[in-house]
Amino acid sequence: MPDDDATPMTTLDEALAGLPDYDPDHMTVELARAIIARTARPVSAVEQIAVRSALGRVLGRDVISALDVPAFDNAAMDGYAFAGSALATGGDVRLRVAGRSFAGHPFQRAAAPGECVRIMTGALLPAGCDTVIPQEQVQREGDTEIVTFAANAVSPGRHVRHIGEDLAAGQTALHAGKRLRPAALGLLASLGIGEVPVRRRIRVAFFSTGDELRSVGESLAPGNLYDSNRYTLFGMLQRLGAEVLDLGVVRDDPQAIEDTLRTACRDADAVITSGGVSVGEADFTREMMTRLGNVVFWKMAMRPGRPFAFGELEADGHRALLFGLPGNPAAVMASFYHLVRDGLFALMGAEPQVTPSLPVPTTTAIAKRPGRTEFLRGILAADAQGCWRVTVADAQGAGILRTMSEANCFVTLGTARGDVAAGELVDVIAFDGLV
Ligand code: AMP
Ligand code: MG
């Protein structure tokens, strides 16, 4: 897809140059992610859209507040506003209630010495006042307009929210690269902003490879199976807010794959394939992919998801990133989340998205060989005492989608880790977040 970006691009070769630990036959997850993030060049086009249409989009420029928030000094409590200088005498303070300042209905003049103003939370602090005494702390003399309270019940300046204390005019309210969540929509509205500049959506094309694959709606002959990767990829990409381009199932034929890659490269910012990168198939795929661009084939020190290809394609003057995923359905999902996702965020122009990884005790022992990172499907649940524990799913095979669907988290066991005993802490990334 054409891109008008003028920023210099780190090419794959530049990203790989001088990496001391680079071993394509034993790629660590960390190094692969770093290379991918450095190679992905953000799309540059920015469009102005309505705030409500911008949910999940990436802010294209900083948003500077034109307003002070709050816009005026106001009460932080329900009570009485007065001049803090009245406290200087000590003892009891006695003030006359001169009027009221309620939300949207400010007191219309300045309070004079010896006066206070009945005020509600959020209401404008009248001129001549700088302090609020909460209503629980005053005595009102009968139904007169006189209130009294002890001078030491409050200090000067208390219970007031000051103009601009949340956000001052001229300050950056939201930074470019921010993915807009509900709070950001509200923040924009609070600044009176109705439209925002966002980066254009990225376009991601994908297809499956395999002579055995059939699409939903077709009938299965012996040895056939339904293609599920185009569905998980559709779902995962949709959640990122990418535009998706489903190019279907492509036969295990280098020419057919090459033609499809060319089409994909013309129409998309990134191309995701599944299948055809494992040891037996990698040779013809490699030969074909190197004709189209610069692609590296990695044997990831990771499970599931060992074979993986990454590179830059070029066709008819258009460039696209290529992610060649393994064929096995659970490996596709693990590779997408742990290798591809960050690269797509970089392409979207988003700041790095932090996915909290939290230590949780495992209910069972886990057999683990050091030397590779394992992403296990797990089920997080609170025990009877309310402590969170994780149980790894019963079947971890790279082809088993059932447990991927039952799981609610990944358990990450890093390269150095060996066997894990029941009760040990393991790092857990929850699938679901609140917002
Ligand atoms: P491959 O990497 O092409 O050797 O595929 C590895 C395994 O994943 C094989 O058992 C394939 O049948 C299976 N597979 C590949 N692509 C898909 C797909 N799109 N949907 C479901 N299974 C697949
Ligand atoms: Mg295959």
Side-chain angles (χ1 to χ4, degrees):
M1 174 165 265
D3 210 321
D4 43 339
D5 199 344
T7 54
M9 165 174 196
T10 306
T11 64
L12 179 56
D13 283 338
E14 283 161 9
L16 293 176
L19 286 174
D21 306 324
Y22 183 61
D23 176 0
D25 288 331
H26 191 87
M27 270 303 279
T28 62
V29 173
E30 296 75 18
L31 189 57
R33 287 164 75 133
I35 293 167
I36 293 168
R38 282 169 61 181
T39 310
R41 175 178 57 156
V43 296
S44 60
V46 169
E47 56 195 5
Q48 188 80 3
I49 63 172
V51 165
R52 281 193 185 171
S53 304
L55 191 62
R57 299 290 294 270
V58 175
L59 203 57
R61 285 189 282 274
D62 288 354
V63 171
I64 312 291
S65 177
L67 302 178
D68 285 308
V69 181
F72 45 85
D73 290 350
N74 67 87
M77 303 278 283
D78 292 348
Y80 296 85
F82 63 101
S85 55
L87 301 168
T89 51
D92 274 353
V93 179
R94 200 164 177 276
L95 299 171
R96 193 180 71 78
V97 184
R100 317 194 299 183
S101 181
F102 287 1
H105 302 280
F107 185 61
Q108 293 295 348
R109 62 170 175 85
E115 285 183 342
C116 66
V117 175
R118 177 83 174 111
I119 196 163
M120 302 308 262
T121 305
L124 187 141
L125 195 74
C129 300
D130 61 4
T131 306
V132 172
I133 174 105
Q135 60 193 19
E136 303 77 25
Q137 294 181 17
V138 308
Q139 288 81 49
R140 194 129 178 191
E141 296 181 358
D143 46 6
T144 68
E145 291 300 306
I146 303 296
V147 296
T148 56
F149 53 90
N152 62 9
V154 69
S155 47
R158 283 282 285 152
H159 305 307
V160 171
R161 301 181 190 134
H162 291 284
I163 179 169
E165 83 175 25
D166 293 349
L167 190 62
Q171 217 176 311
T172 304
L174 293 167
H175 289 274
K178 168 105 184 156
R179 280 183 83 213
L180 300 173
R181 300 195 297 205
L185 303 196
L187 180 58
L188 289 162
S190 77
L191 301 177
I193 294 172
E195 288 190 342
V196 273
V198 294
R199 300 244 187 186
R200 73 163 171 85
R201 279 185 205 278
I202 59 166
R203 227 157 165 228
V204 182
F206 57 85
F207 60 91
S208 297
T209 66
D211 289 341
E212 75 283 25
L213 301 176
R214 294 292 176 271
S215 294
V216 175
E218 293 176 351
S219 55
L220 296 181
N224 291 161
L225 53 117
Y226 285 117
D227 171 11
S228 53
N229 291 341
R230 277 161 50 230
Y231 287 78
T232 52
L233 283 169
F234 167 85
M236 295 186 292
L237 290 165
Q238 200 72 26
R239 284 286 175 100
L240 290 195
E243 260 180 53
V244 296
L245 189 61
D246 182 348
L247 297 176
V249 175
V250 180
R251 282 167 295 124
D252 281 318
D253 165 45
Q255 191 56 51
I257 297 175
E258 180 174 337
D259 293 346
T260 312
L261 280 174
R262 278 188 197 283
T263 306
C265 182
R266 271 197 300 268
D267 292 342
D269 304 296
V271 186
I272 300 179
T273 65
S274 69
V277 291
S278 58
V279 177
E281 300 158 310
D283 287 346
F284 74 74
T285 314
R286 174 181 286 132
E287 192 218 324
M288 175 266 303
M289 283 184 177
T290 38
R291 269 206 300 280
L292 280 174
N294 193 358
V295 180
V296 287
F297 284 73
W298 290 330
K299 289 191 188 110
M300 299 297 307
M302 153 177 170
R303 195 164 98 149
R306 191 159 129 84
F308 188 84
F310 172 66
E312 299 162 315
L313 302 178
E314 186 161 356
D316 305 331
H318 301 299
R319 282 166 175 275
L321 285 186
L322 171 77
F323 299 94
L325 273 45
N328 274 309
V332 163
M333 296 192 75
S335 314
F336 182 91
Y337 284 123
H338 300 291
L339 298 173
V340 179
R341 183 175 176 271
D342 279 355
L344 294 182
F345 278 132
L347 209 55
M348 289 162 72
E351 64 195 359
Q353 304 288 301
V354 181
T355 320
S357 181
L358 305 174
V360 173
T362 163
T363 59
T364 57
I366 309 168
K368 160 76 166 59
R369 192 147 56 78
R372 66 184 179 204
T373 302
E374 295 197 7
F375 298 106
L376 299 156
R377 285 146 260 173
I379 295 154
L380 260 176
D383 65 13
Q385 285 72 46
C387 299
W388 288 91
R389 296 182 186 283
V390 66
T391 304
V392 295
D394 59 355
Q396 297 286 341
I400 302 171
L401 263 187
R402 189 224 347 139
T403 46
M404 197 67 219
S405 158
E406 287 168 1
N408 62 9
C409 67
F410 277 117
V411 172
T412 309
L413 301 178
T415 318
R417 196 101 188 228
D419 290 341
V420 178
E424 270 185 53
L425 293 177
V426 291
D427 290 329
V428 164
I429 301 175
F431 288 170
D432 286 310
L434 186 62
V435 295

